[in-house]
Amino acid sequence: MVAVKRWFIHAFMPPWRWRLAFPAVVLAAIEAAIKQSERKHRGELRFAIENTLAPGQAWRGMPARRRAIEVFSNLRVWDTEENSGVLIYVLLADREVHIVADRGIARRVPQDEWDAVARAMQTAFRLGDFRRGSLEGIERISTLLATHFPPGADNPNELADKPVIVGR
């Protein structure tokens, strides 16, 4: 029954739904926050929003976490000099946030710390405050990265800062 309900949500969510949660002004604020964040550390952030899974993925029960790892790979977040990429993945249909860190960071920051940030973001999102949840999540991630990957003399911007809408 749960699988059918999930499939129904994914299959019939309007394709424009993400724009209500993340209008242009919120996307611009996220991009600015990422730019500011990356001045404080050597990590690289990507923010990805996916409205729904493909109906087949939802029907087969693809977990949002597994999809986040696929998006991490597809966006090449792993393709940084120090393996310092971090993906913030939002799956609106499931109301889930997942944070995937590349191996250079994952060795220093345990997954439960990323999960705590994701839960805090989800809490704000459940209240309909996507801007606050996103910006506070980025700030918390920035603090973690600044602790473990402080900025160096050479701190290139290796990944795009602009949030990506997956599947458009």
Side-chain angles (χ1 to χ4, degrees), residues 46 67-78 87 166:
R46 287 299 319 254
R67 179 63 180 149
I69 293 168
E70 280 185 4
V71 172
F72 179 90
S73 178
N74 293 343
L75 294 177
R76 300 176 59 100
V77 178
W78 50 265
L87 173 69
V166 180

Side-chain angles (χ1 to χ4, degrees), residues 1-165:
M1 187 59 131
V2 172
V4 172
K5 180 180 177 186
R6 182 175 187 237
W7 175 84
F8 190 82
I9 290 168
H10 283 264
F12 293 102
M13 180 178 273
W16 45 262
R17 171 63 180 88
W18 66 269
R19 287 189 178 110
L20 296 177
F22 293 95
V25 67
V26 173
L27 294 176
I30 291 169
E31 182 176 1
I34 290 171
K35 284 182 193 299
Q36 181 65 27
S37 169
E38 289 180 354
R39 292 184 185 117
K40 300 174 185 175
H41 53 76
R42 294 187 325 273
E44 290 291 323
L45 299 179
R46 287 299 319 254
F47 197 104
I49 302 158
E50 189 158 32
N51 201 47
T52 62
L53 296 175
Q57 291 172 318
W59 184 256
R60 288 188 299 277
M62 174 180 262
R65 176 73 184 176
R66 185 171 353 138
R67 179 63 180 149
I69 293 168
E70 280 185 4
V71 172
F72 179 90
S73 178
N74 293 343
L75 294 177
R76 300 176 59 100
V77 178
W78 50 265
D79 195 13
T80 63
E81 183 68 28
E82 294 186 73
N83 299 313
S84 61
V86 176
L87 173 69
I88 302 166
Y89 173 77
V90 178
L91 181 56
L92 284 175
D94 286 352
R95 299 179 182 192
E96 288 190 34
V97 176
H98 292 276
I99 299 172
V100 181
D102 201 353
R103 62 190 174 275
I105 293 174
R107 281 192 283 264
R108 298 179 188 185
V109 180
Q111 185 61 45
D112 63 328
E113 291 194 50
W114 301 120
D115 293 343
V117 174
R119 281 191 304 276
M121 292 175 71
Q122 286 175 181
T123 298
F125 291 175
R126 272 193 298 276
L127 298 172
D129 199 343
F130 291 89
R131 179 186 178 98
R132 182 179 59 82
S134 299
L135 298 181
E136 287 179 3
I138 291 167
E139 184 57 36
R140 287 180 65 176
I141 290 168
S142 181
T143 300
L144 287 170
L145 291 174
T147 300
H148 299 285
F149 277 85
D154 185 29
N155 191 10
N157 188 11
E158 299 177 82
L159 299 175
D161 298 331
K162 184 177 183 176
V164 62
I165 310 304

